[in-house]
Amino acid sequence: MATKAEETAEQAARSSRGGNKSELWRAPALSGREIEEMQADFSEDRLLTKTWSRVLVESFLQHFKWYNPQKDNADAPSLSKAWAYYEHITLARHFTGDHTTEDTLQRAEPGETSDTELYNPFMTPESAFNEWGIGVGIYFSTVRTMALIFLLTGLINIYNIIYYRGEGYNEGGHGDLWLLLQGSAICTDHDWVVCEQGCNMTGRGGWEHRKEQYATGTDPNGNTLTFVQRTMCRGAELPQGMINFASMIFLVICFGLLTLYQRKREVRFDEDKSTSTDYSLKVSNPPPDAFHPDQWRDFFEQFAAKQVTFVTVALDNEPLLRALFLRRVFIDKLRRRLPEGVDMDDEEQVRREVDAVIVENESREQGCFEKCCCCTIIPILRVFNFFLDADVLLENISLSTDKVKEAQKKQYNVAEVYVTFETEEGQRSALSALTVSKTDLWLQNKNAVAPNALFKGKVLKVVEPNEPNTIRWQDLHVSIFMKFILRAITFCVVIGLIAASGFAIKAARDVDPILYTVCISVFNFLIPNVAKLLMLLERHSNEGSYQKSMYLKITLFRWMNTVILTMIITPFVDTLGKEPRDLIPSISAVLMTEMVLTPVLRLLDIVGNFRKHVLAPRAKTQAMMNLNMSGTVYNLGERYTDFSKVIFLVVFYSAVNSNTFFIGFATLLIQYYVDKFCLMRIWASAPYIGTQLAVFSRRFFFTTALMIMAVISSYFWAQFPYDNVCSCDNTNDYTCGGQDWRGTYNDIILGNSTAIDQIEVTQKEGVIFCQQQLWRLPEFAFPPVSEVQELRQGKWMTSETWEPPGNQESLTKIYGWSSVVALAVYVAFVFGGSVISNVLLLFRGSYSTNTKDSKIDFSTVQEIFAYVPQLDFPAFPFPMLACDVDDIDQNLIGWNDPHGSYDTHNLIFDVPWPGMKRRQKITENTRNTTNIAHHADYESHGGAGDHQNEASGLSAESRPIFSTVKHWPPEWAKNGASVTPSQVMGV
């Protein structure tokens, strides 16, 4: 097997195919002319290689006017071209034929004209998921593995399922229950008993919720008696509890093995694939006036075995970037209102077209529906800049231009600096030499490093950065304190939403159980979208941090809304009931919803299909039609929340329903294949996240789920039989009457005021009220062992004996104290290591890595990118550059518009500013040259020739308003020489 270095050498020695595989897979926005060019390449698609939706539209639907109102308009945009755009630009494709290699499905760049085909959602191997990033690959691997683990855990619980569905547990068995409830702890075996003390409808016994289990009557002497139903099922015995305990141990072992496997896989992926972060470091506290990349290069080359290849000096120019970004948003909205081909840089032409659109709209007769919307919904949406009229958009563009000019007059400081070395060894040497303790960093202790490690007399904070396309360049200026405050505010809002949804769900449950499950599903859909809107308020330095914050909020809501809230609002005495409103049936209904309804809604893709089949056929331009074919945006963090929700739901209620393991297996298996189908047929591309979410899930959410399983299961076993009554002979606080209560009692009134003729009491002893719901006890009832029973009220647990078949008190001791150990291990594992590590970092600075040096030079890696400041927004097909990229290798930018230049996507050209190197934009694609400065049209558009030896236009006195990047390619790259394997290996 070839090593990574040998494979890279072979790739580098080969000639490029003319494209660049991008970390950020993008769907370019093509004009009508460009679509014509693309259609010439893609018109030969075979029928079997098309999606069924495209076949249906092209052969049938587009010929009907109700579907395609513009079918008779020769100048209308083409649906066939739009669907070709969807399949060749939006969806992922892989190379075939001569371009593919053995046992691999190499992903093609969007719009690739070589032999490609769509990934098969059924036959694509799991190894191909890494083409979407290691984070996506680990997600699918984890879902599949956890499904298998749940299946094996369910098999371990077969004994419990058989026991609970038999007559040994519940008289009459579970034959009259729904299949998925058979084998759960549901108990329908109740006997009427006489309650001698404490039982009433208004107390804490729960009979106000179970009025049919409460009754009053008289004895033969005319004395008033209280009758309650007692649960006769013995479900919390040692064999059943220990099987559940063994299941928990099995899950812990499997989770540990899965963690080890994934860590090794992450390391192997990192070693097998060279990425920018392997060669780079970030300076988090640069001097505010250190603008010049040459200064940083000269400083860091003392640590480099070869050289520094790339430097990015990022500014805190968020006000300028935000003003430019909003201006582009308004221009883009206005462009969609105007005829295709309008030059948006020609102010007079734009104004004429806007006037024409206004006249056309005024002369057009509005329908009833449109008039209704204009009076109700649209005025509200216009507050959020939706459905703005063309003249309003033009005015907003003018106002935004003024704001940009004001922002251009401000002075900006250096926020962060990214330095990329030619070798991994150079990066590691610099990090080893410059890493110091936090205390030395705060105090700027110059004795903590060698004199040559001080930059302008300052101790630098250097760390290994995230990948380039995950950096949120617009948020680099925000302080840690402000980030914390904003996150705290959004977190509090989410807590409020959880409380509000709790009240709504409880009200729905009181009305109808079906409405209750629907309400949960609706909130699970709505609240995460609200959380995404709240995330707009937060500031994050990288996409991984953003995803983790959103993951935390959505997971917290879904765990509370789906799992914990159900238990809170369900009356304690309804735990083992069989009615739809009771706990176990309610949870089973929620699980079935997750298994069936949620995947179906994902496959239906209602919003995406509305855009493709309703909005796209009615689009006025090809660009607008293509935009509606850009796919449904997905979020890996949200996918993890759905996954972790199922895991939490299964383990949380596994003690009272072992069937949850099999339901969880089916749910995760369906989720695996549905998400796989969506990834390859529905979803748009997403940024490369890496392993952050996988590590975050393993460390916090999965461990939390297992810890809560241990704690909550110990309470489930300790609170059996959930009827709040104890035998009268088990109390020291009340003297039992000693009367034999067996007999028939007439003229009975139930708690719901229903009169019945008689009830039969078969138990000799009476009972008293005893609180089995442990959190209601006055003492802190943890761990939930037999000692927490209030002896003055009575004992409900079966007596202690270690003889078979065992008993409840023995079980609660084992499970209760094990939950204490689980909690202690959880705190030590999740928080202890971080606390100790952070304390040590206060006084000791050290750098280490668990991966090997690949010995591959940065400039020889064909698919690697530099830290180029850019803004990403879903409404735009490409990121917006925020720096001068004239003199850098265009392959390092990370994406390519095959039909346009980078100038059209660069914010620095939007509004002229003093000190611009050139003002005219090159419109055609410039990838036929190494950098833009070498393009044939460069000097004719105001460029000043070669700038390789200039600091991106900076003079000693200048103070830039945009971030600065500079590239120093190796000599062999400058000369255009081919690279040999020995050069790649660093020899």
Side-chain angles (χ1 to χ4, degrees):
M1 181 178 294
T3 64
K4 178 175 73 170
E6 291 169 345
E7 291 175 352
T8 306
E10 184 179 351
Q11 292 174 357
R14 292 197 306 260
S15 61
S16 173
R17 68 175 187 270
N20 180 37
K21 179 180 175 182
S22 172
E23 276 186 341
L24 186 61
W25 299 100
R26 277 286 174 178
L30 308 182
S31 66
R33 175 186 59 81
E34 295 160 349
I35 283 289
E36 292 289 346
E37 298 174 3
M38 184 189 74
Q39 186 70 4
D41 294 326
F42 302 150
S43 59
E44 300 300 325
D45 285 344
R46 293 179 291 110
L47 180 66
L48 294 179
T49 65
K50 299 179 181 180
T51 61
W52 68 267
S53 297
R54 180 181 177 185
V55 173
L56 182 65
V57 170
E58 290 182 342
S59 61
F60 184 70
L61 292 178
Q62 70 174 349
H63 303 298
F64 293 92
K65 201 169 185 66
W66 60 265
Y67 180 84
N68 183 17
Q70 305 178 89
K71 78 180 190 69
D72 298 327
N73 183 1
D75 297 327
S78 169
L79 274 175
S80 295
K81 295 176 182 179
W83 278 97
Y85 176 96
Y86 180 67
E87 291 191 4
H88 285 266
I89 303 296
T90 299
L91 298 183
R93 303 178 72 88
H94 65 87
F95 289 104
T96 60
D98 296 336
H99 291 87
T100 188
T101 57
E102 185 179 358
D103 298 328
T104 62
L105 293 175
Q106 184 183 3
R107 186 171 176 179
E109 190 177 52
E112 177 62 52
T113 57
S114 302
D115 293 336
T116 63
E117 64 181 28
L118 293 168
Y119 282 91
N120 189 311
F122 305 105
M123 304 302 293
T124 299
E126 193 172 287
S127 59
F129 289 136
N130 287 341
E131 293 294 314
W132 281 264
I134 182 62
V136 173
I138 288 180
Y139 164 75
F140 279 97
S141 173
T142 306
V143 173
R144 178 181 54 81
T145 303
M146 285 305 302
L148 177 61
I149 290 173
F150 276 166
L151 176 62
L152 297 176
T153 311
L155 295 176
I156 293 174
N157 284 265
I158 288 293
Y159 173 84
N160 278 4
I161 294 174
I162 294 175
Y163 171 77
Y164 283 124
R165 71 182 299 175
E167 294 194 7
Y169 169 70
N170 184 72
E171 185 177 351
H174 282 170
D176 60 335
L177 297 180
W178 181 38
L179 179 62
L180 293 180
L181 296 179
Q182 296 181 20
S184 67
I186 288 178
C187 179
T188 58
D189 186 9
H190 301 92
D191 279 354
W192 284 105
V193 294
V194 175
C195 181
E196 299 190 23
Q197 186 190 46
C199 300
N200 58 73
M201 287 285 292
T202 59
R204 297 180 298 173
W207 290 289
E208 67 272 19
H209 304 290
R210 282 286 192 181
K211 297 179 180 180
E212 69 278 7
Q213 294 186 4
Y214 182 93
T216 57
T218 58
D219 62 10
N221 299 323
N223 298 318
T224 300
L225 297 178
T226 299
F227 303 91
V228 295
Q229 285 193 351
R230 187 176 193 181
T231 300
M232 305 307 296
C233 301
R234 291 169 60 90
E237 300 302 310
L238 196 59
Q240 293 76 50
M242 292 311 297
I243 287 177
N244 181 255
F245 186 80
S247 301
M248 181 185 68
I249 298 299
F250 177 74
L251 287 173
V252 171
I253 294 173
C254 290
F255 171 74
L257 294 175
L258 178 62
T259 299
L260 292 175
Y261 166 74
Q262 289 188 346
R263 285 178 178 174
K264 290 183 179 180
R265 182 177 176 183
E266 290 162 7
V267 171
R268 186 168 65 249
F269 176 85
D270 188 56
E271 292 177 346
D272 290 344
K273 185 176 180 65
S274 296
T275 60
S276 305
T277 187
D278 297 325
Y279 298 89
S280 306
L281 59 79
K282 178 180 73 172
V283 180
S284 300
N285 65 336
D289 58 349
F291 301 108
H292 297 272
D294 294 274
Q295 295 178 337
W296 294 102
R297 178 205 184 193
D298 295 342
F299 174 76
F300 279 103
E301 279 203 335
Q302 64 180 305
F303 308 106
K306 289 191 174 181
Q307 67 172 75
V308 169
T309 301
F310 203 95
V311 170
T312 301
V313 181
L315 303 186
D316 60 350
N317 58 348
E318 188 269 346
L320 175 59
L321 298 183
R322 185 170 296 276
L324 287 167
F325 165 75
L326 289 176
R327 183 176 181 274
R328 281 230 174 184
V329 170
F330 290 130
I331 290 176
D332 184 67
K333 288 178 180 290
L334 182 59
R335 179 188 289 113
R336 300 179 194 178
R337 299 290 187 89
L338 303 182
E340 192 166 357
V342 174
D343 183 2
M344 299 303 294
D345 293 328
D346 187 337
E347 186 175 346
E348 292 185 5
Q349 182 185 10
V350 170
R351 192 169 294 280
R352 287 197 304 270
E353 295 295 342
V354 167
D355 292 339
V357 168
I358 294 174
V359 172
E360 180 183 353
N361 289 338
E362 290 176 348
S363 61
R364 181 174 56 87
E365 184 178 354
Q366 293 181 331
C368 295
F369 178 76
E370 186 176 358
K371 290 180 180 179
C372 181
C373 291
C374 289
C375 298
T376 55
I377 301 175
I378 291 181
I380 299 175
L381 294 176
R382 282 175 175 167
V383 176
F384 302 97
N385 289 328
F386 293 104
F387 295 100
L388 297 179
D389 292 331
D391 56 335
V392 176
L393 287 171
L394 187 61
E395 182 181 356
N396 286 345
I397 293 172
S398 177
L399 294 175
S400 297
T401 302
D402 294 337
K403 292 181 180 179
V404 169
K405 292 179 179 179
E406 287 297 320
Q408 289 173 346
K409 299 176 182 178
K410 298 181 179 179
Q411 291 188 345
Y412 302 105
N413 297 321
V414 178
E416 291 180 350
V417 175
Y418 294 83
V419 180
T420 300
F421 295 83
E422 183 63 17
T423 63
E424 293 182 34
E425 187 272 335
Q427 178 234 36
R428 297 181 183 192
S429 297
L431 287 171
S432 298
L434 297 175
T435 301
V436 298
S437 69
K438 290 184 178 180
T439 302
D440 290 332
L441 192 61
W442 292 336
L443 299 177
Q444 282 293 297
N445 180 12
K446 299 179 180 180
N447 296 322
V449 296
N452 65 325
L454 296 173
F455 182 83
K456 291 187 174 182
K458 185 171 185 175
V459 179
L460 298 178
K461 179 183 179 181
V462 294
V463 295
E464 189 173 291
N466 296 95
E467 291 298 331
N469 75 322
T470 68
I471 306 299
R472 296 170 63 88
W473 299 96
Q474 69 273 25
D475 293 337
L476 297 184
H477 70 290
V478 183
S479 66
I480 295 177
F481 176 76
M482 181 55 65
K483 291 177 182 177
F484 174 80
I485 293 297
L486 293 174
R487 293 182 201 182
I489 292 173
T490 56
F491 187 81
C492 291
V493 174
V494 170
I495 295 297
L497 292 174
I498 292 174
S501 67
F503 285 110
I505 290 172
K506 185 179 185 306
R509 184 181 181 278
D510 293 338
V511 174
D512 184 80
I514 297 179
L515 180 61
Y516 155 77
T517 56
V518 171
C519 193
I520 287 181
S521 298
V522 169
F523 277 114
N524 278 341
F525 173 78
L526 291 179
I527 300 301
N529 287 285
V530 175
K532 292 177 186 178
L533 293 176
L534 290 174
M535 291 298 298
L536 297 176
L537 301 176
E538 294 190 9
R539 296 291 179 265
H540 297 269
S541 57
N542 61 78
E543 190 68 23
S545 172
Y546 174 88
Q547 295 271 358
K548 286 190 291 187
S549 179
M550 183 170 62
Y551 180 21
L552 172 65
K553 294 175 177 62
I554 297 177
T555 300
L556 176 64
F557 173 81
R558 284 180 168 165
W559 281 21
M560 289 294 299
N561 185 57
T562 307
V563 184
I564 300 176
L565 191 60
T566 302
M567 187 176 67
I568 292 175
I569 66 176
T570 301
F572 179 75
V573 293
D574 289 349
T575 301
L576 305 183
K578 70 172 183 178
E579 300 300 325
R581 67 182 182 184
D582 297 333
L583 182 65
I584 297 177
S586 296
I587 290 303
S588 297
V590 172
L591 269 171
M592 286 301 298
T593 299
E594 293 299 322
M595 185 172 70
V596 179
L597 180 60
T598 302
V600 167
L601 289 176
R602 203 174 303 141
L603 286 174
L604 288 176
D605 186 30
I606 296 173
V607 175
N609 279 313
F610 179 78
R611 293 177 62 196
K612 290 196 289 278
H613 296 287
V614 177
L615 297 183
R618 290 156 179 79
K620 300 301 182 184
T621 65
Q622 193 69 55
M624 291 181 65
M625 185 176 285
N626 293 341
L627 191 63
N628 287 312
M629 308 296 287
S630 58
T632 299
V633 177
Y634 83 99
N635 187 288
L636 188 59
E638 188 175 0
R639 301 309 317 125
Y640 265 106
T641 64
D642 270 349
F643 172 46
S644 63
K645 175 184 60 180
V646 174
I647 292 177
F648 190 50
L649 190 59
V650 168
V651 300
F652 194 93
Y653 291 104
S654 61
V656 292
N657 189 3
S658 299
N659 291 314
T660 58
F661 289 116
F662 290 110
I663 303 175
F665 158 71
T667 301
L668 293 183
L669 194 64
I670 293 173
Q671 180 172 324
Y672 176 87
Y673 285 104
V674 168
D675 283 358
K676 184 178 179 181
F677 180 87
C678 292
L679 184 70
M680 299 175 185
R681 288 293 184 271
I682 295 176
W683 290 340
S685 301
Y688 175 91
I689 300 301
T691 61
Q692 297 100 316
L693 286 176
V695 173
F696 190 63
S697 296
R698 291 197 306 263
R699 183 172 182 181
F700 294 101
F701 290 104
F702 295 166
T703 53
T704 300
L706 292 175
M707 182 274 296
I708 292 179
M709 176 186 180
V711 173
I712 203 66
S713 294
S714 65
Y715 277 95
F716 273 127
W717 295 118
Q719 295 175 153
F720 256 89
Y722 298 94
D723 56 10
N724 279 337
V725 296
C726 297
S727 297
C728 196
D729 57 357
N730 284 339
T731 178
N732 297 326
D733 194 44
Y734 174 75
T735 302
C736 299
Q739 185 174 347
D740 186 350
W741 295 107
R742 288 176 293 188
T744 301
Y745 297 85
N746 301 316
D747 300 326
I748 302 299
I749 304 297
L750 297 179
N752 57 11
S753 302
T754 301
I756 60 176
D757 294 335
Q758 61 182 26
I759 60 174
E760 186 76 19
V761 176
T762 59
Q763 293 194 26
K764 177 181 178 180
E765 298 84 7
V767 298
I768 64 168
F769 167 77
C770 60
Q771 184 59 259
Q772 297 169 1
Q773 195 169 9
L774 297 182
W775 67 269
R776 286 183 175 270
L777 297 179
E779 296 85 3
F780 180 64
F782 183 78
V785 294
S786 59
E787 287 76 11
V788 302
Q789 299 176 96
E790 289 189 315
L791 297 180
R792 61 182 178 83
Q793 282 192 334
K795 296 174 63 177
W796 64 87
M797 297 185 190
T798 55
S799 302
E800 182 170 359
T801 174
W802 293 93
E803 298 296 328
N807 58 82
Q808 190 172 359
E809 290 191 348
S810 303
L811 174 61
T812 57
K813 284 189 176 181
I814 296 172
Y815 229 125
W817 290 111
S818 296
S819 68
V820 175
V821 174
L823 183 60
V825 172
Y826 168 79
V827 172
F829 176 79
V830 176
F831 302 105
S834 298
V835 172
I836 294 174
S837 176
N838 285 321
V839 170
L840 292 177
L841 288 176
L842 288 174
F843 308 101
R844 184 180 65 190
S846 62
Y847 168 77
S848 62
T849 180
N850 58 355
T851 60
K852 298 178 181 178
D853 188 341
S854 66
K855 306 296 183 182
I856 299 174
D857 287 0
F858 174 86
S859 299
T860 64
V861 182
Q862 296 297 302
E863 300 166 1
I864 201 165
F865 313 102
Y867 290 86
V868 180
Q870 49 196 288
L871 306 183
D872 190 16
F873 188 64
F876 292 92
F878 289 99
M880 290 169 279
L881 295 170
C883 63
D884 181 359
V885 295
D886 285 358
D887 301 310
I888 71 172
D889 188 334
Q890 296 177 87
N891 289 309
L892 297 177
I893 294 176
W895 51 270
N896 174 37
D897 180 352
H899 298 282
S901 76
Y902 290 108
D903 288 358
T904 60
H905 304 288
N906 202 328
L907 294 173
I908 70 173
F909 294 105
D910 286 10
V911 179
W913 48 279
M916 288 185 69
K917 193 161 58 179
R918 61 186 175 93
R919 298 194 177 193
Q920 286 184 284
K921 292 185 287 187
I922 301 174
T923 57
E924 68 178 28
N925 187 277
T926 58
R927 289 294 290 272
N928 59 338
T929 61
T930 303
N931 54 47
I932 297 175
H934 290 165
H935 191 267
D937 295 336
Y938 183 71
E939 292 192 27
S940 64
H941 284 68
D946 189 10
H947 291 271
Q948 284 291 334
N949 297 319
E950 296 180 20
S952 296
L954 286 174
S955 65
E957 298 80 16
S958 65
R959 193 177 185 95
I961 61 174
F962 290 101
S963 299
T964 308
V965 296
K966 191 167 184 181
H967 180 208
W968 296 270
E971 287 300 323
W972 63 263
K974 291 181 186 178
N975 299 329
S978 61
V979 58
T980 66
S982 61
Q983 286 175 309
V984 174
M985 294 291 290
V987 179

